[in-house]
Amino acid sequence: MTLLERDPNAPVFWKGNMPVTSRYTFGLAGERFFRAIKDEGRILGTRCPECDITYVPATLFCERCMAELTEWVDAGEIGEVHTYTLLFEDMDGNRLPEPEIVAFVRLGDGGLVHRLGEVELDELYIGMNVEPVFKPAAERTGSILDILYFRPVD
Amino acid sequence: MGMRKVAVVGAGMTKFVRRAQETGKELSWEAVRMALDSCEMTIDDIEAVCMGTAPDAFDGLHMKAEYLSDGAGAWLKPYMRSYVGGGTGIFAPIQGWYHVASGLFDTCLVVCEEKMSSFYPHAQAAFLTIFDHTTERALKPNLLWIFALEMNRYMHTYGVRKEDIALVSVLHKRNAADHPCALLGEPDITVEDVLNSEVLAWPVQRYDVSPVSDGAVAIVLAAEHVARRITDKPVWIEGVGWCLDTAYWTNRDLCYPRYVEVAARMAYEMAGITEPRKQIDIAEPYDPFDYKALHHLEGLQLADRGQAVQLYIDGTAARTGNMPVCPSGGLLGVGNPIAAAGLMKIAELFWQLRGEAGARQVPGNPRRGVAQAWGDLMQVGTVVVMGR
Ligand SMILES: [Zn+2]
């Protein structure tokens, strides 16, 4: 049904798209954060001593007091599952053969949203300790996907 | 009108560069820190934040202002983004102004950011999608097209010569050589250089155009009672105005920006200006292209129609002239990170009227200035009058 009486022979639509390609810089803090992932397999944060907050991923500044952050810290090897979800559909709404687990892993006062792996669904719980599994060093490119997933720590 | 007086009390600006390593957040933060430090305020002294940033497509992020909010100092504060394309850099401080003038807030931070280098291969392509999808986009138009068509009509109607229009580019780029944040300052550029530069879309040549850039600018606004505590040199926002013409360019006068005139008259009336040519000491019209500065000077009532170029020919527009135009170096010289470029003009008036513009300082203790931007679908005018 259409809202207007229309000529059935009129053209129906003009097809166009909005092509966008972007080259994103990592930023001053991101440069160091991703270099540490790539070269050292480490996840770094920055600390604001004034606000007593450790930002993970590391940031150049404290969003609360706007101070420049110069104290870089290792966010540690173990994070905690703060919350998780099971994905049953892909981005286009297609059913996945197996549900994918995505979790917010708490590191410092922040953390990363990433995949979980090597875990059985019935073992999964909020509060679980997990560690990152990195790609082999030679295959890392300085991407968040250099972390394959997080897995439970015994 | 029952509005409170509002002053600019601090300003900060990053360098305008071709391609910043910093993220947009980091650029915003740098400008905010400089603005706060310039008036010895902390983020806790700020009650609200206004963000101006142009098309999301440039940074490659939808809801860009939300992404930028932490860098803008908006954590747990009332925060608002305004957006009228190229006019944004003057529109955002107008938003900040009424946040404070209304009595709702005593202080407001205004931040404008643009990172045009993300778009690949060239930011011009982002503009394709602002055109009507069925009547125009199929022809693959870009902004150079529009400017070329408008510039040609302007030259034809008033008999303005290209070699005279080139004087605008020469003056602004020379002025920019004295700006520490400038991307394209050229102290020795000549009219011949402009006329010999590569033709992009006749009659627009390379040096008729401002460069795409990355950068951020921030200013601090305060209500009168707060401003007087912070500084003994407040610069008041005396008048504001904005206006949109028809969005369809074939229905618009290409030779004369009516929308700028309406916005300017609104701002002048608020500022009590009856004779702008006598009462305005410094003009910072929007100059993404050289002829646009002329167009806008005419819309601002600072020159008769088709006559603005005389200000450049007779030296009135020079930094030492009777009404310096773009002593900052403008978009043509300092650079054109869209929204940030507009707010740069407000920052420039702030520094000029306080006598803090360094090598760019206009002599004679200027008392009042006007800044203007233009954009949207090439039909918005935004105007701010500042004085001390
Ligand atoms: Zn802090």
Side-chain angles (χ1 to χ4, degrees), chain B residues 12-285:
Chain B
M13 173 177 180
T14 69
K15 280 198 158 84
F16 286 3
V17 296
R18 179 92 51 203
R19 180 166 162 78
Q21 176 59 32
E22 288 91 336
T23 60
K25 287 171 190 272
E26 291 172 343
L27 290 170
S28 301
W29 168 77
E30 284 175 29
V32 166
R33 270 311 298 267
M34 284 189 270
L36 291 172
D37 290 349
S38 77
C39 53
E40 297 178 338
M41 290 173 78
T42 71
I43 196 68
D44 290 339
D45 299 321
I46 299 297
E47 296 181 1
V49 179
C50 286
M51 162 59 71
T53 189
D56 287 351
F58 284 144
D59 289 47
L61 274 156
H62 282 296
M63 300 183 70
K64 183 161 67 152
E66 286 71 8
Y67 164 78
L68 294 170
S69 61
D70 52 346
W75 180 71
L76 276 186
K77 293 188 198 301
Y79 182 57
M80 178 182 190
R81 175 195 191 177
S82 53
Y83 170 48
V84 284
T88 302
I90 303 290
F91 196 57
I94 293 175
Q95 305 264 303
W97 169 81
Y98 59 65
H99 273 56
V100 178
S102 63
L104 207 51
F105 304 103
D106 282 342
T107 56
C108 182
L109 179 65
V110 181
V111 190
C112 287
E113 175 275 355
E114 218 71 60
K115 190 164 185 203
M116 301 175 74
S117 64
S118 304
F119 202 92
Y120 187 80
H122 193 282
Q124 273 301 340
F127 288 114
L128 176 62
T129 53
I130 70 176
F131 295 93
D132 186 288
H133 47 66
T134 39
T135 60
E136 293 169 344
R137 215 191 285 173
L139 297 167
K140 295 196 174 14
N142 66 27
L143 289 195
L144 291 169
W145 271 46
I146 293 202
F147 289 111
L149 291 165
E150 195 177 70
M151 180 172 174
N152 204 9
R153 187 68 208 173
Y154 177 75
M155 289 165 53
H156 170 81
T157 302
Y158 299 117
V160 183
R161 305 186 315 160
K162 240 181 89 62
E163 48 267 51
D164 290 336
I165 293 178
L167 290 169
V168 175
S169 202
V170 168
L171 177 67
H172 295 197
K173 287 177 192 292
R174 285 186 178 186
N175 283 349
D178 295 322
H179 202 308
C181 300
L183 171 60
L184 264 197
E186 300 196 37
D188 303 316
I189 191 173
T190 64
V191 166
E192 286 65 39
D193 294 332
V194 178
L195 297 178
N196 292 332
S197 63
E198 175 190 0
V199 178
L200 302 174
W202 182 260
V204 173
Q205 294 176 255
R206 174 73 62 200
Y207 279 169
D208 294 312
V209 190
S210 57
V212 298
S213 346
D214 298 349
V217 178
I219 61 167
V220 179
L221 300 179
E224 183 174 12
H225 67 286
V226 178
R228 293 205 190 278
R229 279 209 304 270
I230 295 168
T231 175
D232 52 9
K233 289 193 292 184
V235 176
W236 306 104
I237 293 187
E238 296 185 336
V240 303
W242 66 100
C243 170
L244 280 90
D245 200 340
T246 168
Y248 206 64
W249 53 341
T250 52
N251 296 342
R252 190 164 72 231
D253 186 345
L254 294 184
C255 296
Y256 181 71
R258 279 288 304 279
Y259 42 94
V260 173
E261 176 181 346
V262 173
R265 288 192 188 282
M266 175 177 164
Y268 291 157
E269 188 181 327
M270 198 180 295
I273 292 176
T274 49
E275 292 182 280
R277 292 178 206 186
K278 288 183 185 160
Q279 292 169 276
I280 298 286
D281 300 323
I282 302 175
E284 279 279 345

Side-chain angles (χ1 to χ4, degrees), chain A residues 37-41 134-142 145-146:
Chain A
I37 286 181
K38 180 172 182 284
D39 297 346
E40 304 164 43
F134 291 92
K135 281 183 184 170
E139 293 172 25
R140 291 181 213 147
T141 58
L145 298 179
D146 288 349

Side-chain angles (χ1 to χ4, degrees), chain A residues 48-53 55 62-67 69:
Chain A
C48 179
E50 192 65 35
C51 300
D52 192 23
I53 293 173
Y55 289 92
C62 173
E63 66 172 349
R64 300 193 179 192
C65 71
M66 300 306 269
L69 302 183

Side-chain angles (χ1 to χ4, degrees), chain B residues 300-350:
Chain B
L300 288 167
Q301 311 303 304
L302 298 175
D304 291 340
R305 296 184 190 199
Q307 298 301 309
V309 76
Q310 293 303 325
L311 301 174
Y312 288 82
I313 292 171
D314 69 19
T316 306
R319 195 177 277 148
T320 51
N322 277 339
M323 191 191 63
V325 179
C326 290
S328 63
L331 280 56
L332 285 164
V334 186
N336 187 9
I338 314 251
L343 195 59
M344 177 272 285
K345 291 177 173 291
I346 300 286
E348 180 69 10
L349 291 182
F350 173 71

